[in-house]
Amino acid sequence: MSERKVLSKYYPPDFDPSKITRSRAPKQAGPKVQTVRLMAPFPMKCTACGEYIYKGRKFNARKETTEEKYYSIPIYRFYIRCTRCSAEITFKTDPKNMDYECERGAKRNTEPWRMNGGGKQESDEERLDRLEREEEEKNAMQELETKTLDAKREMAVADALDEIRTRNARNERMGKDGVEVTVTRESIDEEKQRQEREDEEAARRAFMRRHEALEEIVDDDMDDDAEAGPSAPPITKEAALEMPPPTFKRVVKKKKDHAAALGIKKKPSLV
């Protein structure tokens, strides 16, 4: 197996380095051609065998710079071969429409976004008309949004006007000195005072009824004691009223010292 990096080279016995001269090849006449690797820019069908070539399929192509130009942009031509019958297919760039144009050897397939409603390839005029219609539809949507905003603004203005009219009408009813508001406030205060007086009267009546019921109970107890015999002196009404109210406070019982009963003496605390 030979070396990958050759360090010594073989020179034949009859080698004469003086016979080696530099020479320049003649310039290539015609368009400049170079080999490039590209992908099919659009789906196409071969006219020779009917093979379908999808968009994005890779080819080893020849790239040719033509003499045509769109303004100052050069136009390039590409040569590829069909994957089935090896027929030559040619297409070139189209900078005007930012696309590619199929020349010969294949037919470009129909693309839905390039078609109008009738299923025909649209021309430049038809494309312009379609763009104008889309612009008009967009303007119609903007006009509808503007109308909606105007309607909302009108509703807000109408609400503000109604509020202003209501406030003006109230001010007219009040007059210059605000008599209506004062009278209304005074009537509200009188109603509140009357309600408070009624509540106080009802509470007083309820307490009176309870007091009468207590007197009846005390009288019944005195009658029972008189029938039973002499006992503790009866509690009068004034004494009952002067008695302190019963308390429900919890009484804490003192713990018994069981240690002292058993004779156990506790050590005095050092504190």
Side-chain angles (χ1 to χ4, degrees):
M1 185 175 180
S2 61
E3 297 181 9
R4 185 171 64 87
K5 292 184 178 180
V6 180
L7 300 177
S8 59
K9 297 182 180 180
Y10 172 75
Y11 295 98
D14 57 347
F15 176 70
D16 187 4
S18 60
K19 294 181 180 180
I20 301 175
T21 59
R22 283 191 171 184
S23 61
R24 292 186 177 181
K27 291 185 178 181
Q28 183 181 359
K32 182 181 178 181
V33 180
Q34 58 181 345
T35 304
V36 294
R37 181 79 170 172
L38 58 79
M39 292 187 292
F42 50 83
M44 63 187 82
K45 182 180 179 181
C46 179
T47 54
C49 63
E51 176 70 9
Y52 175 75
I53 300 172
Y54 56 86
K55 179 180 178 179
R57 190 162 189 174
K58 295 182 179 180
F59 292 94
N60 291 325
R62 288 183 293 116
K63 177 184 174 182
E64 177 184 306
T65 305
T66 62
E67 297 179 356
E68 302 177 14
K69 285 189 177 182
Y70 177 72
Y71 295 104
S72 60
I73 302 173
I75 295 176
Y76 301 99
R77 182 178 286 109
F78 299 94
Y79 300 89
I80 61 174
R81 290 193 175 274
C82 177
T83 55
R84 183 178 179 184
C85 64
S86 299
E88 190 175 62
I89 300 172
T90 309
F91 58 90
K92 64 179 181 178
T93 58
D94 185 9
K96 181 179 180 180
N97 300 319
M98 295 180 292
D99 202 357
Y100 291 85
E101 180 183 353
C102 188
E103 288 186 322
R104 59 185 177 84
K107 183 180 179 181
R108 185 167 182 167
N109 288 355
T110 303
E111 295 180 352
W113 56 87
R114 296 181 179 276
M115 296 296 168
N116 54 14
K120 300 179 181 179
Q121 188 78 18
E122 58 183 7
S123 60
D124 294 340
E125 296 179 357
E126 293 176 350
R127 187 180 303 172
L128 290 174
D129 294 340
R130 178 174 57 81
L131 293 175
E132 288 178 0
R133 287 195 302 270
E134 292 177 358
E135 189 69 23
E136 289 176 358
E137 291 177 359
K138 189 183 296 182
N139 294 336
M141 291 297 294
Q142 292 179 356
E143 185 178 356
L144 179 61
E145 291 177 358
T146 307
K147 286 182 178 179
T148 306
L149 293 175
D150 292 341
K152 290 182 178 179
R153 192 179 299 110
E154 289 177 0
M155 291 174 64
V157 170
D159 294 340
L161 287 174
D162 291 340
E163 185 177 355
I164 292 170
R165 291 195 188 99
T166 305
R167 187 166 59 249
N168 292 340
R170 187 170 60 251
N171 293 337
E172 289 177 1
R173 287 197 306 269
M174 285 169 52
K176 295 182 179 180
D177 300 331
V179 177
E180 185 177 349
V181 175
T182 305
V183 172
T184 306
R185 189 173 299 168
E186 290 177 357
S187 62
I188 291 172
D189 294 340
E190 290 177 359
E191 182 67 23
K192 188 181 293 184
Q193 292 176 3
R194 185 181 61 81
Q195 188 70 26
E196 290 178 356
R197 287 196 299 271
E198 290 180 358
D199 293 343
E200 290 176 359
E201 185 67 23
R204 189 177 62 82
R205 289 176 183 174
F207 283 117
M208 288 297 293
R209 283 198 297 270
R210 182 174 177 275
H211 193 62
E212 292 175 357
L214 287 173
E215 288 180 353
E216 291 178 359
I217 292 171
V218 170
D219 294 340
D220 293 341
D221 292 341
M222 290 175 66
D223 294 340
D224 294 340
D225 293 340
E227 292 176 0
S231 61
I235 299 173
T236 60
K237 176 180 175 183
E238 290 78 7
L241 293 175
E242 290 177 359
M243 289 177 63
T247 60
F248 299 95
K249 186 177 180 181
R250 185 177 179 182
V251 180
V252 180
K253 294 182 179 180
K254 188 178 180 180
K255 293 183 178 179
K256 295 181 180 180
D257 192 1
H258 298 285
L262 296 173
I264 301 172
K265 295 182 179 180
K266 293 184 178 179
K267 293 182 180 181
S269 59
L270 299 178
V271 181

